[in-house]
Each structure stands twice: as C-alpha cells, then as structure tokens.
Amino acid sequence: MVGRPNAGKSTLVNRLLGVDRLLAGPEAGITRDAISVFLDWDGLPVRVFDTAGMRKKARVQDKLERLSVGDGLRAVKFAEVVIVVLDAAIPFEQQDLRIADLAEREGRAVVVAVNKWDQVKQGRARFDELSEKFERLLPQLRGAPLVAVSASKGSGMDRLRDSVVRAYEVWNRRVGTAELNRWLVDAVAAHPPPAPGGRRIRLGYITQARTRPAGFIVMCSYPQRLNESYKRYLINALREDFDMPGTPVRLTFRGQGHKNPYRDRKKPSPSRLRKHLGPGA
C-alpha cells in the first residue's frame, strides 16, 4: 500500500485485517515505518506492507521522514502487487502520478484504489471522469484496475481483492513463441516499421524472455533506428491482443546478427585451389 500522507492506507489495511491493529487517524504522517502483516483475504494468503505517506521530495525535511519514505520505496521494489491509494477528494495530484509511475518503472503489477468514496457525490459520473483522467495522465498503466473503495465503511473490498488477483495473474502471464510470432506478422502488416534513410527496418521474430513483469525480445535489423512511437505501438498491441492490461511490458530490440562464417577466412591461392580440385581445374 503506497500513497500520499492521509490517503487512508493504514485504515484500509485495518479493514482487511478486521481489527484495528495499525495506528490510524485524521492526522497525516502517523505511519513512520513500512509495517508488514500477514492475513487471509477471503481465502487468499497475502503479506501486506503498510507504508508511510510519500510527500514531494522538496517537502521532506525531517530525517525520520526520509528514512520512512526509504522503507516505502524498498517495499515497492520487493512487492508483487502495488496498491496506489488515492484520496477521492483530491485524486491524481502530481505526487500520486509520481508514485504510480515509480511502481511501473520498478516492474510491479499496479492497482489504483480511490479511497474515501463514501464522501463522493454523483459517484458514477465521478468515477467515469477519474477513469478518463487515469488513462490520460498515466498511459504507461493503461488498463490497470481502478477501484473505488471506502476503508472506513468497508465498501469495495471484494472488487479490490478481485483486481489484485487479476493484476497478479496478468503479471505472471507467459505467451508461447509461435503465437507471438503469428501476432508479430499481423502487427507488422497492419503498421509496417519505419524506413529511416530509405532502408526498411525488418522485424525477424519475437520471444518472451521473462515474466514478472513481461519481457519480450524482438530480433530486427537496425534496432538503434527504431523510434519510440513504433515501440509504443508494439507494446500497446501486445497488451491489447494478449489481454495484459495495465501490467508493465518490457520490449528489447536486438540486431539479428547474421554473420558470414567465411568472412574472415583467407582466400586460397590459385595453386592451392588447383591442388584441391585436381588435374584439369
């Protein structure tokens, strides 16, 4: 659980536990350490880290607060699913975006929980507005779950659990090489790669090298000339066609490296060539 101070992270963990084990209150900055608790979340065994609120770096003056934020950052690096908790009254502040982007850069599965939803009027219209804002401000997390919850009232907990399970499954997904290469042929046919300097970049084949997060390697000619917009096109197409919404996708391009095995061999002299081929050559 990560987010700005007073977003309701500790209250949310207490709601999942069913008891007030963690200190929570209306004042910001009560949590000072990354506290881990084990719980059975409706049959799902999990270890949850409640972290200190993360303020803008320029506002962090106190040494204890710097240590607290450092604990939170370490928790993000070792987590599997990161729940970014927002305050429904002031969602998607600049610091919220930085925190969500940090989780994506660390390669974690991300779920965004908009807390204190019981205080929101015109909930459906407001949720649609936040969904559009989320897609626009965090395109690198397009399709990640956005869940409205109220930690104090206990609403939205089932949806939050389902979103965490879904994000974890997508984060662990592996796609077969044959299926990937059929997809690559169609993707290139629909949108051919650029041709810088008049030379078309050829995409040879693709394979998945890792999961958690998904990492793919594409063999191609002139990988250094492939622009960012085409890379984003392939990443978005991978997410959409293989049902991997919101999860970080790493795409690495490598040169095909076809090397002539006879390139460095010395050319044989005419006399050696005649000796090898025999009389009459």
Side-chain angles (χ1 to χ4, degrees):
M1 301 277 185
V2 295
R4 288 184 290 112
N6 208 28
K9 299 180 292 299
S10 298
T11 305
L12 186 55
V13 176
N14 284 337
R15 172 62 62 178
L16 297 180
L17 287 169
V19 294
D20 293 336
R21 185 182 299 181
L22 304 179
L23 188 61
E27 303 86 3
I30 292 178
T31 303
R32 288 293 192 176
D33 298 304
I35 302 168
S36 71
V37 292
F38 290 92
L39 62 99
D40 185 292
W41 193 356
D42 295 334
L44 178 69
V46 296
R47 184 183 184 187
V48 180
F49 284 84
D50 179 31
T51 64
M54 298 180 185
R55 296 195 299 165
K56 291 182 180 179
K57 190 174 182 180
R59 296 183 180 178
V60 179
Q61 303 293 336
D62 181 67
K63 183 177 180 181
L64 180 58
E65 185 176 0
R66 287 199 299 271
L67 294 173
S68 301
V69 172
D71 275 351
L73 295 176
R74 280 189 291 275
V76 169
K77 290 181 179 181
F78 290 101
E80 294 177 320
V81 180
V82 173
I83 300 178
V84 181
V85 184
L86 312 182
D87 187 335
I90 44 173
F92 295 116
E93 294 283 294
Q94 196 64 37
Q95 186 65 357
D96 294 326
L97 302 180
R98 289 194 184 99
I99 293 169
D101 183 63
L102 166 69
E104 192 278 337
R105 283 188 284 111
E106 290 294 339
R108 308 301 97 188
V110 177
V111 174
V112 178
V114 187
N115 192 25
K116 307 179 185 179
W117 198 250
D118 55 301
Q119 303 173 17
V120 174
K121 297 178 181 179
Q122 299 178 336
R124 183 70 258 175
R126 178 61 171 161
F127 187 80
D128 291 342
E129 178 188 341
L130 291 181
S131 297
E132 185 276 331
K133 199 172 184 180
F134 179 33
E135 297 282 326
R136 176 167 46 86
L137 295 176
L138 289 165
Q140 68 271 40
L141 288 171
R142 183 173 298 152
L146 180 69
V147 188
V149 301
S150 172
S152 60
K153 302 295 183 181
S155 62
M157 296 299 110
D158 290 341
R159 291 192 301 273
L160 182 62
R161 180 190 179 281
D162 292 343
S163 296
V164 167
V165 171
R166 164 75 171 156
Y168 180 77
E169 289 174 349
V170 171
W171 191 59
N172 282 275
R173 181 163 299 160
R174 180 173 288 279
V175 185
T177 300
E179 190 177 1
L180 278 171
N181 282 279
R182 286 193 296 269
W183 166 85
L184 184 63
V185 170
D186 293 339
V188 170
H191 186 183
R199 290 189 173 185
R200 177 73 64 186
I201 297 175
R202 296 187 306 275
L203 303 186
Y205 67 91
I206 181 173
T207 185
Q208 185 171 1
R210 56 168 293 180
T211 59
R212 307 164 63 101
F216 301 90
I217 295 176
V218 180
M219 306 302 291
C220 66
S221 61
Y222 312 111
Q224 69 279 4
R225 298 184 183 180
L226 204 61
N227 57 40
E228 290 299 321
S229 62
Y230 197 78
K231 294 176 183 178
R232 284 196 300 271
Y233 158 70
L234 291 177
I235 289 175
N236 291 334
L238 273 169
R239 282 187 175 141
E240 182 177 350
D241 295 338
F242 293 108
D243 194 22
M244 296 189 293
T247 190
V249 173
R250 306 290 186 251
L251 206 55
T252 303
F253 295 85
R254 293 181 181 171
Q256 290 177 325
H258 294 303
K259 184 180 178 181
N260 185 346
Y262 301 100
R263 180 178 178 180
D264 298 327
R265 290 193 180 183
K266 294 182 180 179
K267 187 178 293 186
S269 63
S271 59
R272 288 185 62 191
L273 191 58
R274 283 194 299 270
K275 184 179 179 180
H276 176 73
L277 296 176

